[in-house]
Amino acid sequence: MPPVFPMLTVLSMFYYMCLRRQARTATRGEMNSRRAIESNTRALPINVEIVQYAKEVLDFSSHYGSENSMSYTMWNLAGIPNVYPSSGDFTQTAVFRTYGTWWDRCPSARLPFKRTPSTFCSQDYVELAFEEPVYPTAVHILETYHPGAVVRILACSANPYSQNPPAEVRWEILWSEAPTKVNGPQARQFTPCIKQINFPTNLIRLEVNSSLLDYYTELDAVVLHGVKERPVLSLKTSMIDMNDIDEDEDEEKFACGMDTLNKQFSIVTLREWPTNGYFDKLPYELIQLILSHLTVPDLCRLAQTCKLLYQHCCDPLQYIHLSLQPYWARINDTSLEYLQSRCTLIQWLNLSWTGNRGAISVSGFSRFLKVCGSELVRLELSCGHFLNETCLEVITEMCPNLQELNLSSCDKIPPQAFNHIAKVGSLKRLILYRTKVEQTALLSILNFCSELQHLSLGSCVMIEDYDLIASMMGAKCKKLRSLDLWRCKNITESGIAELASGCQLLEELDLGWCPTLQSSTGCFTNLARKLPNLQKLFLTANRSVCDTDIEELAANCTHLRQLDILGTRMVSPASLRKLLESCKDLSLLDVSFCSQIDNRVVLELNANFPNVFIKKSFTQ
């Protein structure tokens, strides 16, 4: 008779997992009702729940507003509510830069990285600091317009107000869910059931995905509830759902996935196996194809099974395209060091959101690129606050084949550092949104990077003369297809004329919130006549756009797909009808706050042109 001890061990391990899962998922109601905690020896004081609004906005990936004002900026999330419980479009709220799928359906859209885990769908984030570190019992998010974008809430072990930075920074997911469609744009208080954690926190991160929304989501405030003392977890075992075990596995993937990367990728010896099973009979290329569908942590796990699969999982061909953004909280110098030997052929690398709070050092990043940068074609570094001038210098020296560079929201890079980018003459895409690039450096980049096809200069507030920049683009960047000048404050009809004359291949142009452009100068009619290939044109918040401009677009830009004329008072329903009849491919038309376009007109246009999404925002 075989021994029963191994079976007993397995059963006790399963019982422990159930207890652990049940303890972690104790409901907030149970925890809040336990105001006094009793022990066998003494009674502890009442653990009073602390309620606090965000004290400060520490970091964010994008916002609709300007860098020099408070309207529609992430900074509105600090403090008490400004708008809630009212619904509608209010400038006092926090608004991210994009919504829906429109930005993925325009000429500047970038190809997605493969191997992105299905559990990671975040597009933007904001990090909030609170006064008191607490063990969270609830997080309330006050959404005032088009709710439903929040997909993940995380807590950090680091105290942003501590004088002594911790040796290790931990992030724990409090709640996570796939994007959901919310019926109606009305305000709501969103209070998901959060997981309990074993450390106090006063740093909360919200991650959002706005792809299912019909318009920009607007957030008013975030309220953190918590207690100073760690709550005692409920250990009731009467009801254990087997589905909890599966859910636990999904939740642990984020935590253990990159730990596995750091630990298991460093394994140099494996157990001896007599055979590799049926894998010995498969062609090498077929196994490579199968493994190409696995995520990076899954590759780490599979590498531990046998020597054959270890060799496959370490093959540099598996890392031609590598996105580490889904694992941003776990990536550090050690991760990059372990990946070096496997990334010698890498062409696409996504390090967006990684490395902050000391996780990646300048020396660690430099060592990695010196080994792995020679074949790089695309490098995504959005919100990489560890980047400095040395990093940009290393990029330009070690990545001679680089064609795409994303430095979006890398606002810690000093202005003089951008001069190095001019050395990469092969660049076709450059994203400098919300950076401190200055005019001299940008002129040098435009002069030497004549292959540029896609350029983003949105919210670049350090540039003094956009007319000069537009003139240089017209002279040097003849291949330009998309240009983002969102919230550039000083471009005039002179710069637009130079741009339209020199960059006639333009298919996408964002001139939203450019207050110095006036329709009376003929700048918009000039654009329409010189740029017949336009597919996307944003003239957001330009009050001077008139019927003449719309009619010129209808006559000359028949390929137009997206048009934003939010806020104009001069456009009539008749000109919009001409536009819709002429531009058969038009799919997005934003007429929010257009005084001549009321809801009745929008309903009529929707009925006659059902394939066009016509947006009319409102304020209550």
Side-chain angles (χ1 to χ4, degrees), residues 23-24 26-38 44-50 133-138 194-201 225-235:
R24 287 178 54 192
T27 65
R28 183 168 60 87
E30 292 173 331
M31 300 311 305
N32 287 347
S33 63
R34 190 182 296 108
R35 295 305 186 195
I37 305 172
E38 296 180 356
L44 297 177
I46 295 177
N47 206 358
V48 178
E49 188 174 62
I50 298 173
V134 294
Y135 292 91
T137 55
I194 64 172
K195 185 182 74 173
Q196 295 181 22
I197 56 176
N198 60 4
F199 59 81
T201 184
H225 291 238
V227 292
K228 296 292 288 183
E229 300 295 331
R230 183 178 178 184
V232 175
L233 301 181
S234 170
L235 295 178

Side-chain angles (χ1 to χ4, degrees), residues 598-609:
D598 57 24
N599 288 331
R600 180 188 56 80
V601 173
V602 171
L603 290 173
E604 177 196 334
L605 294 176
N606 275 325
N608 293 328
F609 304 94

Side-chain angles (χ1 to χ4, degrees), residues 195-413:
K195 185 182 74 173
Q196 295 181 22
I197 56 176
N198 60 4
F199 59 81
T201 184
N202 62 338
L203 176 51
I204 296 293
R205 175 176 171 127
L206 308 182
E207 294 185 357
V208 304
N209 181 312
S210 303
S211 62
L212 298 183
L213 300 186
D214 291 334
Y215 206 56
Y216 299 96
T217 189
E218 299 191 8
L219 310 179
D220 192 14
V222 177
V223 192
L224 174 62
H225 291 238
V227 292
K228 296 292 288 183
E229 300 295 331
R230 183 178 178 184
V232 175
L233 301 181
S234 170
L235 295 178
K236 292 189 292 185
T237 61
S238 56
M239 296 179 62
I240 296 178
D241 186 350
M242 290 300 296
N243 292 328
D244 286 348
I245 306 302
D246 297 329
E247 293 172 5
D248 199 36
E249 179 182 353
D250 289 337
E251 291 177 5
E252 292 295 333
K253 279 184 179 180
F254 179 82
C256 73
M258 296 316 298
D259 287 343
T260 304
L261 176 67
N262 292 343
K263 297 174 183 177
Q264 269 69 32
F265 258 2
S266 63
I267 295 176
V268 293
T269 59
L270 293 168
R271 290 178 292 174
E272 292 294 331
W273 295 89
T275 69
N276 294 313
Y278 289 105
F279 281 100
D280 280 328
K281 303 180 184 297
L282 295 178
Y284 191 91
E285 294 82 3
L286 180 57
I287 299 177
Q288 284 286 292
L289 178 62
I290 294 171
L291 299 192
S292 68
H293 296 279
L294 298 180
T295 63
V296 175
D298 288 338
L299 278 179
C300 301
R301 299 183 185 101
L302 189 63
Q304 303 173 62
T305 56
C306 66
K307 283 189 174 181
L308 176 65
L309 291 181
Y310 177 81
Q311 293 171 357
H312 278 282
C313 292
C314 296
D315 192 321
L317 291 174
Q318 288 292 336
Y319 303 88
I320 299 295
H321 294 179
L322 177 62
S323 176
L324 297 177
Q325 182 181 5
Y327 321 105
W328 59 265
R330 302 283 169 172
I331 296 296
N332 53 31
D333 283 348
T334 306
S335 311
L336 296 182
E337 182 181 351
Y338 287 151
L339 282 166
Q340 278 184 20
S341 61
R342 295 154 179 82
C343 294
T344 53
L345 300 178
I346 191 169
Q347 297 177 7
W348 287 15
L349 176 62
N350 186 0
L351 286 173
S352 294
W353 301 6
T354 66
N356 298 333
R357 295 185 174 84
I360 294 179
S361 65
V362 172
S363 58
F365 176 77
S366 302
R367 285 195 302 270
F368 183 81
L369 279 195
K370 287 175 182 177
V371 175
C372 308
S374 61
E375 301 297 323
L376 264 182
V377 174
R378 176 179 176 184
L379 183 56
E380 304 279 342
L381 294 169
S382 172
C383 304
H385 300 314
F386 66 91
L387 295 171
N388 63 8
E389 183 171 3
T390 300
C391 294
L392 289 195
E393 187 174 6
V394 169
I395 291 171
T396 57
E397 290 178 357
M398 297 297 138
C399 307
N401 299 307
L402 197 62
Q403 296 181 12
E404 300 187 22
L405 178 60
N406 181 4
L407 298 175
S408 171
S409 292
C410 293
D411 53 2
K412 302 295 190 295
I413 300 177

Side-chain angles (χ1 to χ4, degrees), residues 563-583:
L563 177 63
D564 185 344
I565 53 172
L566 174 149
T568 180
R569 303 184 179 93
M570 312 292 288
V571 171
S572 68
S575 65
L576 288 184
R577 291 189 190 95
K578 290 181 183 179
L579 179 78
L580 291 166
E581 289 168 356
S582 176
C583 300

